[in-house]
Structures are given as C-alpha cells and as structure tokens.
Amino acid sequence: MIGEVKNKKKYEVIEKTEVKKIEKIIGKKNFDYIVFEKDSEYMKCRDELTKKMEGSQITTLNFLENNSLKNFYSYRNQYLLYEIISRKNINSLLDYDLYFANGQMYLKPFSLSQTTIDGIGAKTNYPMIDEFYEKIFDSVKKCELNHYEAILLTAERKIEELKEIISSTEHMTNEYIIFNRETDETVKKLLHEKKFTNAQAVKCINGTYYLLNNRRQENISVYVVTHKKFEMNLPQGYQIIHAGRELNNDLGYNGDNSGENISKLNPYLNELTAMYWIWKNTKNDYVGTAHYRRYFSDRNSYQFSAESILKVQQAYEYLKKYDVLIGREGVSSNTQRTLIMAEDSDGNEEIAIKAITIIKKMIEKYQSKYLDAFDKIMNSQGFFYCNMLITRKYVYDELCQWLFSFILPATEEFLKEVSVDELTTKQKRILGFCAERMMSVWLLKQNLRLFDFPIMVNN
C-alpha cells in the first residue's frame, strides 16, 4: 500500500494489508491517499477505512494512475466544481487546461446545462468532448476576443506562470476559479501580490478552489450616428454623434471631428467616420453604434417604438453570455455584389466595380487571410447591415483596426483614380456601401458568440 504524505516523504509502504495497522498509521500522519495495489484488497478494507478518511481518498493504484493524478487527486473535487459553477450562475466558462476532457464524468451534469463551456488544448477522442464543450481552441490566441464569466485554471503552476496567464487573459473575464493543492502556496502568493476586489476559498480534497473576482463597475455607451437634427427620447447610455461634422453646420451634438478623426471623409465613408472616432477617442468598457432612424428592438419586433429600444442594462446582461450583439441578418434575392452594382451605385455599375476591385486589392495587400471571407460575403445573399453592433471595447477596437487598415488606403486610391465631382451624392458613397459588408467579412473569420436583434426603423 502506498500513500503520498504532506511532510516531505513521498510515501509509506505496508507489505501486509491489515485495517487496524492502516488505521493506526493514518491516525498519526496526514495522508493524501490510501492506495491499494490490488482491487480485491481495496474492496475488503474500503468501508472500514472510510470512517477514518474521505471515501474518495481510498482508491486503487490503477485508478489513481489513470485518473486522480490528472484531476486534483479526487473525483469528489469535480462534483464540488459543478456546484460552484452552478451556484454562481456562470453562463460562460473557459476551461483553460481542458480539465473536463480528462475528468471522470463523461456526461455534462444537469446543473451545468445552461453553462457554455469552451476549452483550450489538443482535441481528444473522448466521447464527452461534444457533450461538455461548445468549442475547443488550440491556443488562447484563437479565443482572445471572447469574454467569459469565469476562467478555470486547474494545472499546477509556478507563481510567475500563473501571473502571466492572468495578465494575458484578464481582459477576457472578471473572475478566475483556480485549484491549488494544499501543499502549494502559489495562489496565496498571488493574492499577496495582486489585489482582487473579492476572493473566496472553497476547501476540497487535498486542496482549495480559489474564486478570485476582479469585477468593477463597467459602463456602456451606444453612439447614435446622425447627419441631421432629430427628436427622440433616447434611453440612458445612448449618445448622439454627428458624423461628418467637419464639413457641415453644427447641429448641437458631439461631432466626429475632435481628437484623432477622419471626419472629412464622411461623404465617401458614411458612418465609418463616426466609428473611427469612437475607436480612437473613447474609453468605455462597452460601445455600440445605432443610427438616428435605426435601433435594436428588445421585443423581437420590427415595428418601431421608442420604448422598445434595447436598454444598455439589457445589453450588459446579454454580453455576459455573448461577445457581440448585432442586427438580424438582412437577406436578399440577389448577391451583395449585385446589390452594390444595381442599387448602391445609383445606376453606375462601372463605379461599383471600381470600388469593389480597389477594396479587394487592399484586403489582399493588408489582410490577405480574409480574401476567402470577402468572396463569400460578396457572393452571398445575406449580411449584417448598417454597421450596428454592441460589444466590448477591445473587440470593437480589433474590428476597427482591421477595417481601417485597408479601407483608408482604398479610399485614398479611389479618390486618386475617380473624378468624384462627376458623381452623384449616392455614387460618392459607394465605398461606404461596400464597407458596410466588411463587418460580416470580419465576423466570418472570428470565433465570437453572436446574438441578433431585429432592427427597428423610424420612418
């Protein structure tokens, strides 16, 4: 019989299995496990020894080698983890160490039925992978734009590695669930060095679950883009921004021409000049865009009502489970390429082809891995229109970083090659109409959880 002890000795061996002798030893020393080499001896002594130790600490060598050593040293800890996640109503969880794939439970328990679980690690052939996980990413880089209510860390780590992981993922979550062995001081050192707003310790077999919360008051601003004066009782958290303010009369709203801006390009890029300003000049935790006539409905209806405009608190609750709130996909009987040439070009197919060609050229130059997604969207019948979304600021920033990396060079080349004075007002906006499809191109390549709303139009 072997058992790991909490002093520096690795184990103690008893050649002959005698319950009384074992009880005497475990009464003097603090063992993690009583381990039997033979299953028959384990069955003979288990019930008696359970009176002295937690039942799950009495096991066989075969079971310990194949299961417990990988999983906190006790399957009971897994049940406790289910309870913690359920009790805290965690809707989305990132299993950083792919713990559930190595656990003893192959079916997702009912208590976690409402919890979306993603994992990081190599995919395995376990039958429970599809049951437990929505997605398994091969690296944290692949899901760094996602947000989770909690991140689960179960592997044993040195303090510097743990700090590095938290530093690289703290934008993705407000809470960590960390398992720490009883003989390890890593998390205690972490708590001493890094201040969390709340920390809880839940004792389990041979260790502790630490629930570290870094939650703070977060703010959302939804920017309503306009180019004209309008009357509307907007919900709290909505702000009006005047797009193209640099070239137009003051409407009395905040304009997109302060700070770092591209306001002068508004005749060609539509609401993108306001998006650029939001990207470069705001510090909100969450941001969104709406139009002076278009808003997300909180009542699953396209019928416009000011009272039905999605409230920021509602958006915040949705964003606990989803990464991006977006308008319901618009679908046409024609492809996007056809729509741009037939409708958005105001009858000038040549100018539409010119705009599409230049944008594709710049995507190939600056964002080449998105060429396939560009072709898919241009040949599809649906897309997410109006550049309307609500998301975390770092996701919004990533979208804008990508979008403007090629749209600004495309605009520069378009203005060099085309005599815009000969175009109608709508034809001048052709790049903006093309760019409206680009958010769909970007989303097609991301691993983001989307939730869509009807877009109400105030005619």
Side-chain angles (χ1 to χ4, degrees):
M1 180 195 74
I2 62 173
E4 186 178 348
V5 293
K6 290 176 184 172
N7 56 31
K8 297 303 180 182
K9 292 178 67 177
K10 290 289 184 182
Y11 56 83
E12 184 159 336
V13 177
I14 300 175
E15 297 296 341
K16 187 177 180 181
T17 302
E18 296 179 6
V19 172
K20 296 294 183 184
K21 190 174 182 179
I22 297 171
E23 288 178 342
K24 185 179 291 188
I25 291 175
I26 65 176
K28 294 178 180 179
K29 297 177 180 179
N30 198 0
F31 287 88
D32 286 333
Y33 279 95
I34 300 296
V35 183
F36 290 85
E37 289 185 317
K38 296 180 179 179
D39 289 359
S40 58
E41 295 296 326
Y42 161 74
M43 294 301 295
K44 190 189 305 180
C45 302
R46 179 190 60 183
D47 292 340
E48 283 297 315
L49 292 177
T50 299
K51 299 173 184 177
K52 298 288 184 180
M53 295 182 71
E54 164 67 39
S56 60
Q57 290 178 271
I58 304 164
T59 185
T60 64
L61 182 60
N62 178 62
F63 186 88
L64 187 72
E65 287 178 339
N66 290 299
N67 296 285
S68 299
L69 290 178
K70 298 178 182 179
N71 301 291
F72 315 166
Y73 317 98
S74 172
Y75 68 87
R76 291 289 182 92
N77 290 346
Q78 188 165 338
Y79 282 109
L80 181 57
L81 179 58
Y82 295 160
E83 185 180 326
I84 290 170
I85 295 170
S86 176
R87 188 174 64 243
K88 293 184 70 65
N89 294 317
I90 293 173
N91 289 313
S92 56
L93 177 76
L94 177 63
D95 181 359
Y96 195 95
D97 298 309
L98 212 64
Y99 163 67
F100 292 114
N102 298 312
Q104 288 86 18
M105 306 300 294
Y106 291 92
L107 292 176
K108 193 174 184 180
F110 180 77
S111 61
L112 300 189
S113 60
Q114 299 302 311
T115 303
T116 298
I117 303 175
D118 289 345
I120 297 176
K123 293 187 177 181
T124 74
N125 293 320
Y126 282 93
M128 46 66 69
I129 289 294
D130 291 335
E131 175 68 22
F132 267 81
Y133 298 99
E134 292 291 321
K135 294 177 182 175
I136 297 179
F137 304 97
D138 56 20
S139 70
V140 71
K141 183 74 176 174
K142 296 291 181 64
C143 60
E144 65 180 354
L145 294 183
N146 299 54
H147 194 274
Y148 299 91
E149 285 197 59
I151 293 179
L152 175 64
L153 299 169
T154 55
E156 294 186 45
R157 294 182 169 88
K158 294 181 179 179
I159 182 66
E160 292 306 319
E161 184 185 359
L162 184 58
K163 286 165 60 178
E164 184 179 338
I165 289 174
I166 290 176
S167 176
S168 65
T169 60
E170 58 187 354
H171 69 285
M172 298 168 60
T173 190
N174 291 318
E175 185 157 7
Y176 294 87
I177 302 173
I178 303 176
F179 174 78
N180 202 192
R181 280 211 72 186
E182 197 162 306
T183 53
D184 190 355
E185 297 290 316
T186 301
V187 177
K188 291 181 180 178
K189 293 176 183 176
L190 175 71
L191 288 172
H192 180 72
E193 295 182 25
K194 182 176 176 61
K195 301 299 182 185
F196 287 87
T197 55
N198 187 27
Q200 295 176 263
V202 180
K203 186 72 177 68
C204 54
I205 304 298
N206 304 325
T208 303
Y209 286 114
Y210 287 93
L211 283 55
L212 308 183
N213 193 300
N214 203 25
R215 194 175 300 278
R216 58 185 176 81
Q217 188 63 41
E218 296 175 305
N219 59 79
I220 306 179
S221 285
V222 179
Y223 292 87
V224 180
V225 182
T226 189
H227 64 280
K228 60 173 63 175
K229 196 81 172 176
F230 71 101
E231 297 294 329
M232 177 77 69
N233 291 322
L234 294 172
Q236 183 179 0
Y238 281 70
Q239 301 184 41
I240 301 173
I241 180 168
H242 182 180
R245 169 68 184 82
E246 186 68 17
L247 302 176
N248 294 283
N249 295 328
D250 186 2
L251 299 176
Y253 305 133
N254 288 332
D256 64 354
N257 61 333
S258 63
E260 190 173 347
N261 72 86
I262 55 170
S263 184
K264 289 182 179 180
L265 295 179
N266 181 257
Y268 317 108
L269 295 180
N270 306 333
E271 69 274 355
L272 263 60
T273 61
M275 289 181 66
Y276 185 95
W277 184 89
I278 295 167
W279 170 36
K280 292 292 187 178
N281 299 285
T282 64
K283 301 293 184 183
N284 303 95
D285 298 298
Y286 303 79
V287 295
T289 51
H291 294 190
Y292 73 100
R293 292 195 306 125
R294 300 181 181 90
Y295 304 88
F296 293 149
S297 168
D298 68 359
R299 299 182 185 176
N300 198 32
S301 172
Y302 292 93
Q303 184 68 39
F304 181 82
S305 166
E307 291 74 26
S308 298
I309 296 174
L310 184 69
K311 314 301 185 294
V312 294
Q313 187 56 42
Q314 293 172 315
Y316 179 77
E317 292 301 317
Y318 277 105
L319 287 167
K320 288 181 179 180
K321 190 171 183 178
Y322 300 97
D323 300 307
V324 181
L325 308 185
I326 203 161
R328 199 153 289 169
E329 186 178 17
V331 180
S332 168
S333 58
N334 295 306
T335 67
Q336 300 312 306
R337 188 184 304 275
T338 300
L339 288 173
I340 292 170
M341 291 191 296
E343 296 181 12
D344 297 336
S345 67
D346 206 15
N348 189 336
E349 284 193 15
E350 183 180 346
I351 207 67
I353 294 172
K354 170 72 75 174
I356 294 171
T357 301
I358 290 175
I359 288 177
K360 184 172 183 177
K361 173 184 172 183
M362 293 305 170
I363 289 177
E364 184 174 16
K365 182 176 181 180
Y366 295 102
Q367 300 289 347
S368 58
K369 72 176 185 178
Y370 286 85
L371 273 176
D372 59 336
F374 174 84
D375 288 334
K376 284 181 181 178
I377 293 299
M378 295 305 290
N379 293 317
S380 73
Q381 293 174 292
F383 77 108
F384 298 113
Y385 56 102
C386 297
N387 281 314
M388 288 174 58
L389 75 163
I390 304 175
T391 187
R392 290 170 181 84
K393 182 60 160 56
Y394 66 82
V395 178
Y396 189 89
D397 291 350
E398 193 73 18
L399 166 62
C400 288
Q401 177 72 47
W402 172 83
L403 175 62
F404 290 106
S405 71
F406 62 86
I407 281 296
L408 292 182
T411 305
E412 183 178 355
E413 181 162 327
F414 183 83
L415 294 177
K416 284 180 181 178
E417 294 188 8
V418 175
S419 179
V420 293
D421 292 337
E422 299 176 5
L423 301 180
T424 65
T425 298
K426 188 172 184 179
Q427 289 166 354
K428 289 178 183 178
R429 300 169 61 195
I430 191 66
L431 284 174
F433 294 132
C434 291
E436 189 179 348
R437 276 82 177 176
M438 296 304 102
M439 183 170 69
S440 300
V441 173
W442 185 74
L443 288 171
L444 203 59
K445 300 286 280 189
Q446 309 308 314
N447 292 303
L448 297 172
R449 297 160 299 176
L450 310 180
F451 190 89
D452 63 356
F453 295 89
I455 294 179
M456 305 181 296
V457 180
N458 183 15
N459 294 315

